[in-house]
Amino acid sequence: MTEATQKPDVPENIVLVGFMGSGKSTVGRMLARRLRFRFLDTDKLVEERAHLRISEIFEKHGEADFRGRETAALTSLCGIRQHIIATGGGIVTVPENIPLLRSLGLVVLLTAEPDEIYRRVSRNSERPLLQVEDPRRRVLDLMASRLPSYEAAAHFRVDSTRLQHVDVTEKIVEEAHRFFHWPQSMRA
Ligand code: S3P
């Protein structure tokens, strides 16, 4: 992770990256309400454009096709301002996505301990990458192999294992103030 200092040309958006179950959508919606920004989710954009659910895209066209659609969705966000953007957990696996993510604004990595992630994701069986014999092993392997890419993408990291979503949100708001040089009056 690099120093979280805004470059003059980086727009005011907050991009959330992290593994499935790290809380990107829930925290993203809270952040959007808190900062009065709009909320976007790249998974939802892909689904709306394809008129298919993510599980159907994986089933009918495979993961590589999904990744192409995900990069296209990310590219289409260029130029937006004052959005909170939640991303799919594998978005960092395509190297060209990393500069795209960073060009959108402050990139925040949400993490949690592997057992906590596994507990959260096993409540929802829709995720295609976890439809395997040993999903816990899969979670551990994917988390380990993706960590360097998450770190390359992110300016800042928050571990949510023992935090409430509202506390994670406040940590990100604080970091956004530093990053974007927002005045104190915007803190309320
Ligand atoms: C994926 C994570 C999912 C979704 C797709 C692939 C991944 O998003 O993009 O199932 O590769 O980790 P969430 O992180 O929102 O579950």
Side-chain angles (χ1 to χ4, degrees):
M1 248 160 302
T2 53
E3 179 92 351
T5 309
Q6 185 197 18
K7 294 209 193 87
D9 53 342
V10 176
E12 271 183 7
N13 298 293
I14 301 176
V15 184
L16 301 178
V17 299
F19 204 74
M20 304 172 235
S22 59
K24 292 163 292 180
S25 302
T26 311
V27 169
R29 285 178 199 285
M30 278 190 176
L31 268 174
R33 274 198 300 275
R34 172 76 169 74
L35 295 172
R36 298 195 190 87
F37 279 19
R38 292 184 190 197
F39 176 76
L40 273 176
D41 181 327
T42 59
D43 282 346
K44 291 282 170 294
L45 286 180
V46 169
E47 290 189 327
E48 280 163 20
R49 289 174 187 179
H51 303 289
L52 290 170
R53 296 191 59 76
I54 286 174
S55 52
E56 294 171 318
I57 300 174
F58 270 75
E59 224 171 88
K60 291 191 179 157
H61 306 292
E63 181 174 352
D65 178 86
F66 170 75
R67 295 295 168 210
R69 292 171 193 266
E70 194 174 44
T71 298
L74 188 59
T75 307
S76 74
L77 300 182
C78 173
I80 64 170
R81 299 272 183 284
Q82 302 207 321
H83 281 72
I84 307 296
I85 304 154
T87 60
I91 205 158
V92 296
T93 62
V94 174
E96 71 178 282
N97 291 347
I98 291 183
L100 286 173
L101 291 162
R102 291 176 69 91
S103 71
L104 281 169
L106 171 64
V107 184
V108 178
L109 167 60
L110 295 184
T111 60
E113 284 168 10
D115 282 332
E116 173 64 15
I117 290 280
Y118 179 64
R119 199 179 58 75
R120 295 180 193 169
V121 295
S122 47
R123 284 191 222 126
N124 168 350
S125 59
E126 251 218 40
R127 284 162 165 122
L129 289 179
L130 302 181
Q131 307 310 306
V132 292
E133 215 172 284
D134 187 351
R136 187 170 178 281
R137 182 77 258 155
R138 189 76 193 269
V139 166
L140 294 177
D141 290 348
L142 281 174
M143 281 182 79
S145 68
R146 288 177 177 179
L147 186 61
S149 308
Y150 287 132
E151 289 185 334
H155 296 102
F156 175 67
R157 173 210 284 238
V158 185
D159 186 329
S160 69
T161 310
R162 276 169 274 279
L163 292 178
Q164 304 284 334
H165 289 312
V166 62
D167 300 318
V168 175
T169 301
E170 286 312 309
K171 275 182 184 280
I172 298 173
V173 169
E174 241 179 68
E175 188 58 29
H177 272 85
R178 268 195 290 275
F179 187 79
F180 294 118
H181 307 291
W182 285 335
Q184 286 295 324
S185 55
M186 276 187 69
R187 264 179 207 265

